[in-house]
Amino acid sequence: MNSVRIDELSNEACSILYDSDVPCIIMEWHAYGTSTQFRLISENVLQLLIDKGLSKVVADTTNLPIIAAEDQRWVNEDWLPRAIEAGYHACGMVNSRFYFNRVAVENVVNRVKSDKFRVEYFDSQAAAKEWLKSLETN
């Protein structure tokens, strides 16, 4: 496994890792993130996608209990359009163990209005990475 944690981009709620094998960025949520933490992590991921010329993310929400409603709106209306424009094309979503967060994630994904963006759901990071690896783009 070639995943490396990027400490300066991570926080208490979420680790950001780079996996050179896929290649992709991994968002590994450890706990609830405040709106500030959630948005900072999201912006850091976007900048890393741009800097490394990547298009794939594993979003491991296993331990993320919920995404606040205002942050769901922000992702849909602000962050995702910018990320897709910057080349973000595929997300391997690792399912949360929390029911309400699974619903929140599905609500965000179902509102995406782009045929350039794909999301698949998985029970593990390994399965999400295998799917992303099978896709043509970086």
Side-chain angles (χ1 to χ4, degrees):
M1 175 160 137
N2 286 334
S3 295
V4 177
R5 185 175 195 270
I6 304 171
D7 289 328
E8 66 273 14
L9 300 181
S10 301
N11 62 34
E12 314 77 51
C14 184
S15 297
I16 297 177
L17 302 98
Y18 170 65
D19 188 308
S20 59
D21 284 344
V22 175
C24 71
I25 305 304
I26 301 168
M27 300 169 70
E28 187 174 272
W29 289 93
H30 307 297
Y32 172 76
T34 64
S35 186
T36 300
Q37 290 171 319
F38 180 85
R39 293 179 189 209
L40 181 60
I41 285 292
S42 299
E43 294 296 344
N44 288 348
V45 166
L46 175 56
Q47 193 58 54
L48 196 54
L49 286 168
I50 293 167
D51 292 349
K52 293 200 171 283
L54 298 173
S55 64
K56 302 172 188 174
V57 171
V58 170
D60 186 343
T61 63
T62 304
N63 295 308
L64 181 60
I66 191 67
I67 301 170
E70 59 272 10
D71 291 327
Q72 292 175 46
R73 276 191 297 283
W74 175 79
V75 165
N76 277 117
E77 296 170 8
D78 184 336
W79 189 83
L80 262 174
R82 290 185 291 125
I84 292 168
E85 179 69 25
Y88 180 29
H89 293 302
C91 180
M93 184 70 61
V94 182
N95 294 314
S96 177
R97 60 189 177 95
F98 300 95
Y99 172 79
F100 289 110
N101 195 46
R102 287 194 305 271
V103 170
V105 167
E106 288 172 11
N107 285 338
V108 168
V109 170
N110 291 338
R111 289 188 187 113
V112 174
K113 307 236 184 306
S114 175
D115 57 353
K116 297 177 182 175
F117 184 70
R118 293 179 57 190
V119 176
E120 294 289 332
Y121 298 91
F122 300 92
D123 290 326
S124 70
Q125 275 191 33
K129 287 195 264 186
E130 281 306 309
W131 174 71
L132 289 174
K133 210 180 223 184
S134 74
L135 301 177
E136 295 297 317
T137 61
N138 283 336

